[in-house]
Amino acid sequence: MAANKLDTQDQAGAPAVTGERAEWLEALDKQRNFLRFTARDLTDEQAGMRTTASELCVGGLVKHVTEVERGWVDFILNGPSHKVDYMAMTEADWARRAEGFRMLPGETLAGVLAVYAEQARRTDDVVAALPDLDVTWPLPEAPWSEPGGRWSARRVLMHIVAETAQHCGHADIIRESLDGARTMG
């Protein structure tokens, strides 16, 4: 019988993550692969093109999902102290945040995908090393956070998977509008 992906060793020979952590990482990796697949064969120009009424583009979505993973992994490790204070952001801060949804001059699709791959490795390493998925931190204040809320590492992983999946759908629509290519179906 072939080894189950959840029970194998990684390429470096270290024991693989198993159980619940492996399931979270497998679910996240599936969504990451959809996003990368949606970006396949695009030029840098196409990766930066808006094809819908929104400001979104495929390359910008890769950048955003990377930043989401980075920010929430920092939260898992350090709590809200490393999160942006969204309640104190100025218009200029919001404008800079919006740049994370666009390909900027000098950025390449290969470059944003490489940064995404690096963050994915970091996320996987952190999840593998966590002593407990139940440890919670108070949520940072943000317009979308429930007041007084707390999230465990498990809840953060759920959010990262959901956020990635949501943006895979956005990217798929943008890609189909670009050249008819679809991620699924």
Side-chain angles (χ1 to χ4, degrees):
M1 178 194 296
N4 182 316
K5 181 178 179 182
L6 300 178
D7 298 325
T8 60
Q9 289 190 342
D10 68 18
Q11 293 176 353
V17 178
T18 59
E20 180 184 10
R21 292 166 204 257
E23 291 176 4
W24 280 117
L25 292 177
E26 187 173 296
L28 179 55
D29 196 49
K30 180 177 183 176
Q31 298 309 315
R32 289 174 182 149
N33 286 332
F34 282 143
L35 185 57
R36 286 189 293 262
F37 186 70
T38 302
R40 75 194 178 285
D41 302 325
L42 290 178
T43 66
D44 294 336
E45 180 182 5
Q46 288 172 313
M49 289 179 68
R50 295 174 41 214
T51 62
T52 66
S54 79
E55 294 289 324
L56 302 176
C57 64
V58 173
L61 285 167
V62 173
K63 286 175 55 177
H64 173 66
V65 170
T66 303
E67 187 55 37
V68 165
E69 268 197 47
R70 180 180 299 113
W72 283 109
V73 168
D74 289 346
F75 176 84
I76 287 171
L77 294 171
N78 304 303
S81 64
H82 285 77
K83 293 292 281 174
V84 173
D85 182 355
Y86 292 101
M87 304 307 273
M89 286 178 62
T90 65
E91 282 187 43
D93 294 329
W94 285 107
R96 275 191 299 281
R97 184 176 187 271
E99 290 178 351
F101 289 92
R102 294 190 297 272
M103 294 278 292
L104 301 177
E107 291 181 327
T108 65
L109 180 57
V112 298
L113 286 168
V115 173
Y116 187 38
E118 181 180 313
Q119 180 57 49
R121 281 188 297 278
R122 176 180 178 247
T123 300
D124 293 354
D125 290 347
V126 167
V127 171
L130 284 174
D132 188 353
L133 294 178
D134 292 323
V135 175
T136 65
W137 293 100
L139 286 173
E141 286 190 43
W144 46 82
S145 292
E146 65 262 21
R150 295 182 69 88
W151 278 8
S152 66
R154 179 181 293 101
R155 178 64 183 90
V156 169
L157 290 169
M158 185 185 316
H159 178 73
I160 294 170
V161 171
E163 178 94 3
T164 305
Q166 176 182 11
H167 290 309
C168 284
H170 295 141
D172 195 39
I173 290 167
I174 293 166
R175 177 63 191 260
E176 187 172 1
S177 297
L178 274 172
D179 63 6
R182 294 183 297 184
T183 304
M184 296 177 0

